[in-house]
Amino acid sequence: MENYFFDFDGTLCESRDIYVAAVQKTFEEHGVKVPTRAEVYGAMGIPIDVSIARWAREGHQPELANRLFEEAMAEYNKLEDGMVKVFPGISKLLTELLLAGKKLYVCSSKTHAELAHNLEMLHMTSFFTDFVGADEVINHKPAPDEIELLAKRYDLDLADSIMLGDAKYDIKMGKNAGCQTCACTWGAFDLAALAAEKPDFTASYPTDILSF
């Protein structure tokens, strides 16, 4: 495999508890039914505004969806830089892949600007040829749009490519794009749902990927 597409949250870095804290605080302040930790974890992999709109409907206050999203993201941004952490083993994995001549990319449910900020703040930008956010495509995960955008931009052969992620949406996206897929269990919330997608590979620690 020559091209490696990585999910961001839950695969490269740990940020789930930041989302939980931001979403729960915002919903509680507005008196809307508060999503559980498990619900927030389970929604990782698709854009957070999509999930917040659904939770607002379930709380019978769909008219608050935009406000809930804006305030939750403002709260997230206050917490993010001090709480987000790169998973152990990720820097070694990325370094070794680059040394082997592989091309690395990120496909995320965040926006391009959010992803750019995260990668710069974590000193990870230099590892990746490019990265794509959900705001750059028509259809978000599990649609293959982000991978296909990068494949077209860099003339990549998807038969020689792999999508790596911690959520079922990542595996589905990779399969929909015609890539190999890898379930990254070190940041996964629902291992059963991940396994049910029948990924081509499973890694319990980042450097396990080097043996594929």
Side-chain angles (χ1 to χ4, degrees):
M1 290 171 285
E2 298 301 323
N3 311 300
Y4 290 69
F5 302 104
F6 288 89
D7 171 55
F8 187 75
D9 294 299
T11 302
L12 296 175
C13 76
E14 178 58 276
S15 58
R16 293 174 299 179
D17 286 341
I18 314 174
Y19 279 108
V20 172
V23 168
Q24 289 186 337
K25 179 180 179 181
T26 303
F27 274 65
E28 184 176 1
E29 287 178 346
H30 285 277
V32 184
K33 179 186 174 185
V34 177
T36 65
R37 178 181 297 271
E39 287 173 328
V40 179
Y41 277 12
M44 298 295 287
I46 59 176
I48 189 65
D49 59 322
V50 175
S51 299
I52 286 177
R54 174 168 59 83
W55 294 326
R57 290 194 302 271
E58 292 172 355
H60 306 292
Q61 297 198 50
E63 71 282 359
L64 289 180
N66 288 337
R67 185 172 180 182
L68 289 166
F69 169 67
E70 291 172 0
E71 292 185 12
M73 289 302 93
E75 182 66 21
Y76 179 91
N77 290 335
K78 287 195 298 185
L79 299 171
E80 181 182 44
D81 287 0
M83 292 179 64
V84 66
K85 304 293 182 185
V86 178
F87 281 110
I90 287 294
S91 294
K92 178 174 176 56
L93 166 65
L94 300 179
T95 298
E96 292 294 330
L97 289 175
L98 283 182
L99 289 173
K102 309 303 182 183
K103 300 297 184 182
L104 313 183
Y105 305 88
V106 181
C107 296
S108 175
S109 58
K110 290 187 167 182
T111 67
H112 185 92
E114 290 169 341
L115 192 53
H117 171 75
N118 286 157
L119 291 171
E120 182 177 356
M121 188 266 295
L122 295 168
H123 307 291
M124 298 179 72
T125 307
S126 61
F127 286 117
F128 299 101
T129 298
D130 203 351
F131 52 90
V132 173
D135 60 326
E136 298 176 77
V137 295
I138 296 175
N139 304 299
H140 61 72
K141 300 178 185 180
D145 294 32
E146 292 183 29
I147 292 175
E148 290 177 347
L149 175 61
L150 289 167
K152 182 178 181 180
R153 185 177 291 171
Y154 295 98
D155 193 26
L156 306 178
D157 184 351
L158 293 179
D160 293 333
S161 304
I162 184 168
M163 177 66 209
L164 307 101
D166 67 295
K168 62 183 179 181
Y169 308 105
D170 302 314
I171 306 305
K172 287 181 177 180
M173 178 172 70
K175 288 181 178 291
N176 288 337
C179 294
Q180 297 287 299
T181 57
C182 175
C184 301
T185 64
W186 59 84
F189 165 66
D190 191 340
L191 293 176
L194 200 54
E197 296 303 324
K198 295 181 169 48
D200 298 290
F201 303 95
T202 298
S204 58
Y205 191 77
T207 52
D208 292 347
I209 292 162
L210 298 172
S211 66
F212 294 166

